[in-house]
Amino acid sequence: MIFSHSDCELVRNRIKREIKAMQTPTRMSNLPDEASLPKPKPGKGGAKKILFLSIFATCLVGGAAFWLTRDEATREQIQNQATDTVNNLTKDTPLAGAGSIAEPVDTTHPTGQNTDAFVSAATSQESPPLTADSAVHPAFVEDLAAWLVAQYKQGQRNGTLAVSVQSINQRYGVNMTGLSGNPQSGRADLLRYVFNPPVIQEIYTLYVERFMEALRRQAAAKSFTHEQSQQLHMAVAGHCAVLASALEGIAAVSDLEKQFETMRKNSQSVVDINSQMTTIVFELDQLRDDKALRARINAAQARLDSVSNRYRKALENRSSAQRALVAAIRKGGGQSLDEDSLLFLAHWVDRRLRHQPQAVASVQAAAGILRDLARRCTQTGTQTGAQQPVAVGGQQP
């Protein structure tokens, strides 16, 4: 409840009237004289009323001080005014000095620290530092490092890292190695949790140093020389940079959802026409087996030819839509990723967009951590000077 200045003034006026009435002698002749009146017990009557009114006024003014402002200086000023008001009203009464009730209560910790801050600090001190995520386990980081080292093929001068977005999705999107849940029911829940910008960043920050150490350890376990380990890190850096560029290109397409909708319609048209073709082919084969009249066979063949032409047109429309999407993506990045992989990654993003409105921001966040990982791996791969270029995805850069 908020009390205005006029409310407080009304209360103060009422207190004045009550006190004046109690202090002014009654002169009405028809009232009993003083000796015939019952004597009140000490501490009751007027003093009790004054106490009630004083406390009531204090609550009103104190309430106004609390609700009208949270500023410390202003709150103290209003509290002082409340104290002076009550002290003036109770002057020369048994409750003189009752305004001290309005004084603020010290809510600080005995050491002088604010209670809320003290509790917060105590809680933070008691909470151990986070060392693992509940959904993305340390086993994921260890497995990723071991898998990348296993996929690295050494060469005479450099090596190749035979991984792709399809193989990454197969290992961690289908098998879910080191991740919570199972492919049948847990994958969607995991993606809803992980594919959010703050979660992506938090998990990366939690595990990036552990991943870098695991990558070095796995390379040493395979007896990689120092130069081979550097080349491995450069290969990982190259893959991360390529994926980051592709994700940036996808996120930069302004009409991404519209283009995906066109592609879905074209793809559905291909499926529908193909189903019609299958039915007509079966019918035509049946007519031939039954040695039907030539007219019926020719009519079925004509329908098949017409549907085949529509099918070819639908395929062309689908391919055209795919090429348009790839071109739009490559305006913003993804130039180094092959068309099939780029479309695979784009369709993966499309599925996230249909279920998670913040998917574009998540794509950008994922690109950001891949850029940072590429930088870290490049630093490790060039610690002793420039190295021979390492092939990415089995192709020379």
Side-chain angles (χ1 to χ4, degrees):
M1 179 182 295
I2 299 177
F3 300 98
S4 65
H5 176 74
S6 60
D7 294 330
C8 297
E9 188 63 29
L10 288 174
V11 173
R12 286 197 291 269
N13 291 336
R14 181 177 178 183
I15 293 174
K16 290 178 180 179
R17 290 195 301 271
E18 293 287 347
I19 295 177
K20 185 176 180 180
M22 287 185 285
Q23 293 179 336
T24 302
T26 303
R27 293 185 172 87
M28 297 179 65
S29 59
N30 59 342
L31 292 178
D33 60 19
E34 183 177 352
S36 63
L37 292 176
K39 302 294 188 292
K41 295 181 180 180
K44 304 294 183 179
K48 184 175 182 181
K49 181 176 289 188
I50 293 174
L51 175 61
F52 170 77
L53 293 173
S54 300
I55 294 175
F56 184 56
T58 302
C59 291
L60 285 178
V61 180
F66 178 80
W67 289 107
L68 291 177
T69 177
R70 293 292 181 105
D71 179 76
E72 183 63 30
T74 305
R75 184 165 61 247
E76 182 177 355
Q77 180 182 0
I78 297 176
Q79 290 283 5
N80 290 335
Q81 291 175 354
T83 301
D84 294 339
T85 298
V86 176
N87 284 338
N88 289 334
L89 293 176
T90 57
K91 185 178 180 180
D92 299 327
T93 73
L95 293 177
S100 60
I101 299 174
E103 293 296 327
V105 179
D106 184 10
T107 59
T108 58
H109 190 263
T111 61
Q113 186 178 14
N114 182 273
T115 304
D116 291 341
F118 179 82
V119 173
S120 176
T123 303
S124 62
Q125 290 175 0
E126 294 174 0
S127 302
L130 185 65
T131 59
D133 185 77
S134 60
V136 181
H137 309 303
F140 166 78
V141 177
E142 296 292 333
D143 182 82
L144 178 60
W147 181 63
L148 290 174
V149 172
Q151 298 303 115
Y152 179 71
K153 307 300 179 185
Q154 299 180 23
Q156 291 183 349
R157 298 180 58 188
N158 52 47
T160 59
L161 188 58
V163 299
S164 64
V165 290
Q166 293 90 333
S167 61
I168 294 172
N169 183 72
Q170 176 68 30
R171 185 170 188 85
Y172 298 106
V174 177
N175 297 334
M176 298 187 66
T177 306
L179 304 171
S180 292
N182 57 75
Q184 287 71 35
S185 61
R187 185 172 184 265
D189 291 338
L190 178 69
L191 284 172
R192 277 192 293 270
Y193 163 68
V194 173
F195 209 58
N196 291 282
V199 179
I200 290 172
Q201 186 59 53
E202 287 172 5
I203 292 177
Y204 176 73
T205 302
L206 181 63
Y207 287 135
V208 61
E209 292 295 342
R210 191 177 304 188
F211 170 76
M212 295 297 294
E213 176 57 33
L215 198 62
R216 288 189 289 267
R217 189 173 62 253
Q218 291 292 335
K222 294 287 186 180
S223 301
F224 280 22
T225 65
H226 178 68
E227 182 180 8
Q228 290 169 338
S229 179
Q230 287 183 311
Q231 291 174 353
L232 165 69
H233 281 80
M234 291 301 294
V236 174
H239 269 280
C240 289
V242 166
L243 280 177
S245 178
L247 290 173
E248 289 164 351
I250 293 171
V253 179
S254 58
D255 60 343
L256 188 61
E257 293 188 57
K258 181 180 178 181
Q259 293 213 38
F260 277 130
E261 182 61 27
T262 299
M263 288 179 58
R264 281 193 291 271
K265 289 180 179 179
N266 289 333
S267 296
Q268 188 60 51
S269 179
V270 168
V271 172
D272 293 342
I273 296 174
N274 182 69
S275 178
Q276 295 175 28
M277 286 180 58
T278 302
T279 301
I280 296 173
V281 167
F282 178 81
E283 179 185 343
L284 184 58
D285 288 341
Q286 191 67 41
L287 289 171
R288 287 169 176 165
D289 291 342
D290 294 342
K291 298 184 178 179
L293 295 174
R294 173 55 55 182
R296 294 183 61 189
I297 293 175
N298 290 343
Q301 184 64 55
R303 291 200 309 273
L304 180 60
D305 293 342
S306 175
V307 173
S308 297
N309 290 334
R310 289 170 52 207
Y311 184 70
R312 283 191 293 270
K313 180 63 176 176
L315 289 175
E316 290 173 4
N317 290 340
R318 186 179 67 177
S319 297
S320 177
Q322 290 175 344
R323 289 192 299 269
L325 177 60
V326 170
I329 293 172
R330 284 184 171 159
K331 287 181 181 179
Q335 292 84 356
S336 300
L337 200 62
D338 65 271
E339 185 171 313
D340 288 342
S341 296
L342 197 58
L343 286 172
F344 181 90
L345 190 59
H347 279 291
W348 188 90
V349 172
D350 173 43
R351 291 192 294 273
R352 305 287 77 74
L353 282 171
R354 280 182 274 166
H355 299 289
Q356 296 174 260
Q358 80 289 353
V360 172
S362 300
V363 170
Q364 294 168 335
I369 68 169
L370 285 168
R371 288 287 185 194
D372 185 77
L373 185 56
R375 177 187 61 80
R376 291 171 182 264
C377 289
T378 299
Q379 288 177 345
T380 301
T382 57
Q383 284 177 348
T384 58
Q387 302 295 317
Q388 294 291 335
V390 180
V392 176
Q395 300 176 357
Q396 293 297 325

